[in-house]
Amino acid sequence: GGNWSFNVYLPPGYDQSTERYPVVYLFRGAVDEWLDRGEDASRNGRNIQDITDTLIAKSEMGGVILVMPGFTAMTGPGSEADYAFILNTLIPFIDQNYRTLPSRWQRGVDGFSLGGLHMVNLIWRNPERFASAGSYDGTLSLFNFNQMISAGEPYFARLRPIQFLLHSAAIAPSNLNVNRRTDTLLNSYGIHNTFSDLLFSATSQHNWWNADEHMIRSLPLHWSKFQAPPHNVPLFWTSTLPTKAAGIVRLSWSIGRASDSLKTMVEYSKNAGASWQTLLFASRRDSVFDWDTLNDSDGTRYLVRVQVFGDTLYGILQAAQRFTVDNPGNSPPDAVFLSPQRNAKASGTYLITWNAEDPEGDPVRTSIYGSSDNGKSWQTIVTDLSNAGSYAWSSQFSANSPAYLLKLRCSDGALTSEVISEPFEIMNSRGIIAGIKHTAGGSDGRVVVNIVDPSRLTGHIYRILFDDTTSTQKLYNVLDATNNAYLIRNTPFVGDGSEGPSFDGLRLRVFDYPLATNNRDSTRWTKGKSTLTSQITVPPFSVGSETISGVAYPSDYEIRIADRIVDTSSTLFGAGATQLYFTVWNTTENHRVPVIVSELDGDGKISRFDDIFILEKDRHSQFVVTWEIFFSGDERAILPVAGDVFTLKTIKPIRGNDVFEFSSMATGIAGNDHLTPSAIELFQNYPNPFSAGGGSAFGGNPTTAISFHLPAPSWSGQADLSAGARSAQVEASAKAELPAPSRVEGPAPSRVEGSAISHVTLTVFDLLGREIATLVNGDFSPGSHTVQWNASGLASGLYFYRLKAGNNVITKKALLLK
């Protein structure tokens, strides 16, 4: 009785296909806990939807339906009626109303804490309903295992087909000891945990961060189990499958001795099994189906299959060879990329491969195009190839990008088809231009100029100018100041360091920040002895019943303390006026700014619990609220006196007034054809700051890039080193058990003069000097290299990363922020 609520996660593309999916039931307690990003502080904005989307996008698993029941009656051990409802009402309801694969072999269960208890209760009552079962730190102490022991071998024989995925927390209070006894009981009957250790990690806690981390590890294993069901229903074709089909095609098959309660599904694939569409799903035992191919487009990569389902039975029968569907009329070529695959890495000469066939058998001509800006623009790689199926691409002259795309355009002479590759990475070793000057503006963004073709360098002076007036995209222009001519106009950039269009043998990499943020390290009392602490935010600002959103204004500020009244606070937005013993200055733009002040004592002096809201004018000369400075401290805090200065520093995105200037004089060229830096350089990582938190202004991406440059052994007679150079694209994962928003400080690269380098290590340490991760440990040729550091899971705090190259050591520090 009562209301029974649940959430259902449907995988990407569910509404655009007829594909059917396996199901995992997730238990905890209240209905929204798996989806609530703020369920506890550890979760840091992440939920099961984010986790599953990411695992699918990274191809670590396929699509899956998640069902998250939230029964008020299930906040405790639950009753027989509760579990009967799940088994007899909820599971059939889900199978009837969503496109599931309705078999125990495509059904799993997992849970956190109390949800682990629910999992055990379900497999005790009906293990034949599930193929995979897991839990994180389940409260199994509430389950009476004596009933399992009394049931003995016949019951545990029913458990053996199930995959178990069990984890427990380490730090008390946890359920580790009871769960170990459960694991021992299973082991005694030959049933083993798939994870090598029941203990999740030495620092794991009974919180949602670790429960989510458990799901990151268990969901792909649930999905893998579903891909390999035991084929215990014999099937074989009784019809001959055509090599070329048209009109109505009869499919018939035979089902061996099996239960009459089987369901039948007939599917076809247009792309050789990459995805499937349903032709028939029937709650009966069928053995023949007439497929009208006129309802589908022509193609050369068709497959068909039949699946039958029962609660414990499963069978599958698939065509051994792909075949062509060719109905009357001409159709465009059917094409697919074979390489690159998603997340592949390309450098130097890379072999692009594809399959392109025409349903009518006409000859096919192929062209290939590339894009480094997510398909906004395309550059020609090669045109009008015979359909050989492969092309050796010299990628070194294309733009380096973490998400490059290729487009295949195929023509049979009359009709054309296009297909776009999965995103992949191009990272060729480049020489870089030294001595780039930031001649105007105060941005903390960075520009790197890569040398793509040294033979085209002109030695001219160039200026990089920016336009931030559009609401959707920042743009940059490149001016050849020597000839007073623009070489690049209105080129959009996202600030991730992808290379832009080529000019005079060069490509730009722009590193930018999405929003201005507070530079915590440099925000403090810079004059005087005050010990008041500060909290800097961009507020929603409330005045009466009105709420005004703040704007992260990219400027630095000073609060200058005086010995007399020197200003009056603003009365904008209905605020009260207060005479002030201080002024606030925008030191980036060199002007005094108005402020709104909220204080308890009303004396106009800076003290504990004073709130200052800085005002700036927008492009329409209207005042907006920007930074909020809230002062606090204990009762013994030293208050500021006349002459003291508080400095608020910000990290600033690139703006329209920023100008960079450089020359392509050949000061760093090795011989005539290769440029390497003249000294070892270790750059600050990018982005700076960055955050693993899903709610962060920096996008919630826990991966950051650290670049370093190694010198050539000499500048005379230097051979071309680019062919043998290794580009370090290493992702090192430093996994702890707490969320790891992070930021790295310091605007300028460190430099150490040196010679040829053979062996390089790049290591990350915490504040106590403990090694956190080794990002690089190997031999590298001269040139520019980039390492990806995945800092997810690290606690906030100060870290150091150290480059050792030969006898040279360079260390820079990183500050991870939540």
Side-chain angles (χ1 to χ4, degrees), residues 321-344:
Q321 301 291 332
R322 61 188 177 93
F323 56 91
T324 296
V325 170
D326 181 22
N327 285 299
N330 189 25
S331 297
D334 188 6
V336 62
F337 274 106
L338 303 179
S339 66
Q341 296 293 318
R342 176 180 289 273
N343 300 325

Side-chain angles (χ1 to χ4, degrees), residues 377-611:
S377 62
W378 295 92
Q379 293 74 47
T380 300
I381 293 176
V382 63
T383 59
D384 201 30
L385 290 174
S386 61
N387 191 35
S390 65
Y391 177 72
W393 171 39
S394 297
S395 72
Q396 59 265 32
F397 294 112
S398 298
N400 281 348
S401 171
Y404 201 85
L405 297 175
L406 292 176
K407 179 166 66 178
L408 198 66
R409 180 176 292 165
C410 301
S411 174
D412 63 2
L415 297 176
T416 298
S417 60
E418 291 185 350
V419 60
I420 296 176
S421 73
E422 295 283 355
F424 65 101
E425 182 177 14
I426 297 182
M427 184 53 69
N428 287 291
S429 293
R430 306 286 202 209
I432 64 168
I433 295 292
I436 299 175
K437 300 176 182 178
H438 194 173
T439 57
S443 166
D444 293 296
R446 184 163 62 96
V447 172
V448 174
V449 183
N450 283 353
I451 298 177
V452 179
D453 187 353
S455 66
R456 296 177 55 201
L457 299 184
T458 63
H460 291 184
I461 294 173
Y462 301 88
R463 292 194 185 98
I464 308 167
L465 310 171
F466 295 90
D467 181 357
D468 64 346
T469 58
T470 64
S471 60
T472 56
Q473 187 90 60
K474 292 182 182 178
L475 309 172
Y476 72 81
N477 304 281
V478 177
L479 174 69
D480 182 338
T482 302
N483 290 336
N484 195 29
Y486 281 96
L487 304 181
I488 292 179
R489 298 297 299 265
N490 298 325
T491 297
F493 67 94
V494 295
D496 65 353
S498 296
E499 287 184 335
S502 176
F503 63 96
D504 291 350
L506 305 171
R507 289 184 186 271
L508 296 184
R509 299 175 66 202
V510 181
F511 297 90
D512 195 18
Y513 303 92
L515 294 170
T517 57
N518 174 226
N519 186 336
R520 297 189 185 185
D521 283 353
S522 300
T523 296
R524 59 183 183 273
W525 290 98
T526 50
K527 290 185 180 179
K529 298 180 180 180
S530 175
T531 57
L532 285 179
T533 58
S534 64
Q535 180 179 341
I536 312 298
T537 56
V538 179
F541 177 62
S542 297
V543 178
S545 61
E546 186 177 6
T547 300
I548 300 163
S549 298
V551 175
Y553 197 81
S555 283
D556 299 332
Y557 298 89
E558 285 185 356
I559 299 177
R560 301 172 183 175
I561 309 299
D563 58 359
R564 62 188 184 281
I565 295 172
V566 290
D567 201 356
T568 301
S569 67
S570 173
T571 58
L572 285 173
F573 311 117
T578 301
Q579 292 184 319
L580 304 177
Y581 284 76
F582 60 88
T583 56
V584 181
W585 286 80
N586 180 327
T587 55
T588 300
E589 300 173 2
N590 194 30
H591 64 84
R592 193 161 74 175
V593 294
V595 294
I596 294 172
V597 174
S598 173
E599 54 180 359
L600 297 178
D601 51 23
D603 63 0
K605 299 178 180 180
I606 301 292
S607 56
R608 295 171 64 214
F609 312 124
D610 285 356
D611 227 351

Side-chain angles (χ1 to χ4, degrees), residues 221-238:
L221 294 175
H222 283 300
W223 187 84
S224 296
K225 175 69 173 179
F226 305 148
Q227 307 314 300
H231 298 170
N232 51 16
V233 178
L235 300 173
F236 61 89
W237 294 110
T238 58

